[in-house]
Amino acid sequence: TKLVLNQALSQWHLFESFKIYSLSVNISANDLLSDDFINYVIDKHLNHSDIKLMLELTESQQTINQDRSIQAIAKFIINDIPISLDDFGKSYSTFDRLDSIAFDEIKIDKDFVSDLDVNLEYQGIVKSTVALARKLNVKVVVEGVETLAVLKKLKALGCHIAQGYYISPPIEGRYLMAWINNYNQQNE
């Protein structure tokens, strides 16, 4: 995780224009059990305060609800590092996590998105998650958007941010600036 964080921060420093975007880095709940890791991330954030770092947290409910993990999350939040609740709706990502973690965004898992344009059950899940996020005053990110029809449906349901192959496949950091420029030109 440290290596990924370092590489991501290095990429963000290559182009000044990246700094208007948030930089999300995935962490696991096991990462939260290491004081060394927690302090490392905080130090990196303090040394790169011009970068809007967000940590995407995924893991089991059992690990998340441990006092040590909650304390680690509190340290991040105190140091202005927001938390994203990743893969919301999957396995252990349940509502009881919502009152134990102060988070800034919910990421709806891609399993609820693939055929969202025709699946009424998934539409209901996404719609209720968006409504919940509004009540909690947090953003909604939807993973796994692979078609224009799904993207349009997500917009209609009020989602804030989408990611997936329809928008872009994963790309190396060195190609990110060119992708951003191309995307902005197409959407002007």
Side-chain angles (χ1 to χ4, degrees):
T1 307
K2 288 179 181 179
L3 178 64
V4 170
L5 175 64
N6 283 332
Q7 288 177 342
L9 290 169
S10 294
Q11 290 295 322
W12 241 241
H13 277 289
L14 289 178
F15 299 98
E16 191 67 29
S17 59
F18 283 4
K19 294 177 184 170
I20 65 171
Y21 303 104
S22 292
L23 171 62
S24 294
V25 175
N26 288 65
I27 63 169
S28 74
N30 287 335
D31 290 328
L32 300 177
L33 302 177
S34 167
D35 287 333
D36 176 61
F37 175 78
I38 295 161
N39 293 329
Y40 185 83
V41 173
I42 291 169
D43 287 344
K44 286 290 182 179
H45 175 66
L46 293 174
N47 290 327
H48 302 281
S49 60
D50 55 337
I51 295 175
K52 294 182 260 181
L53 177 64
M54 177 174 287
L55 300 177
E56 294 186 12
L57 178 61
T58 306
E59 199 54 59
S60 70
Q61 178 181 354
Q62 297 97 321
T63 306
I64 290 297
N65 286 333
Q66 292 179 359
D67 289 340
R68 186 169 167 94
S69 296
I70 300 302
Q71 291 170 357
I73 292 167
K75 283 184 179 180
F76 289 137
I77 292 168
I78 288 168
N79 285 281
D80 295 322
I81 303 172
I83 303 293
S84 173
L85 195 55
D86 198 10
D87 296 334
F88 187 77
K90 285 287 286 181
S91 61
Y92 296 105
S93 183
T94 59
F95 289 106
D96 62 338
R97 288 176 63 178
L98 298 178
D99 67 354
S100 63
I101 300 172
F103 57 95
D104 293 274
E105 80 181 15
I106 295 173
K107 290 189 80 174
I108 298 175
D109 188 73
K110 64 183 178 183
D111 287 351
F112 298 109
V113 178
S114 61
D115 62 349
L116 178 80
D117 54 326
V118 295
N119 187 319
L120 296 178
E121 184 177 312
Y122 289 172
Q123 288 176 26
I125 290 169
V126 171
K127 184 176 182 178
S128 62
T129 304
V130 169
L132 174 65
R134 280 198 184 114
K135 295 257 186 220
L136 297 172
N137 198 29
V138 298
K139 292 183 288 183
V140 174
V141 178
V142 182
E143 300 175 309
V145 177
E146 296 186 3
T147 67
L148 178 58
V150 167
L151 182 62
K152 286 181 178 181
K153 191 64 174 177
L154 289 169
K155 285 181 181 180
L157 292 171
C159 292
H160 298 100
I161 302 168
Q163 67 182 61
Y165 278 83
Y166 179 76
I167 298 157
S168 173
I171 57 176
E172 291 182 44
R174 61 186 166 158
Y175 301 119
L176 186 56
M177 193 69 238
W179 182 89
I180 290 171
N181 290 335
N182 185 45
Y183 181 85
N184 287 337
Q185 287 175 355
Q186 290 178 356
N187 292 300
E188 287 181 347

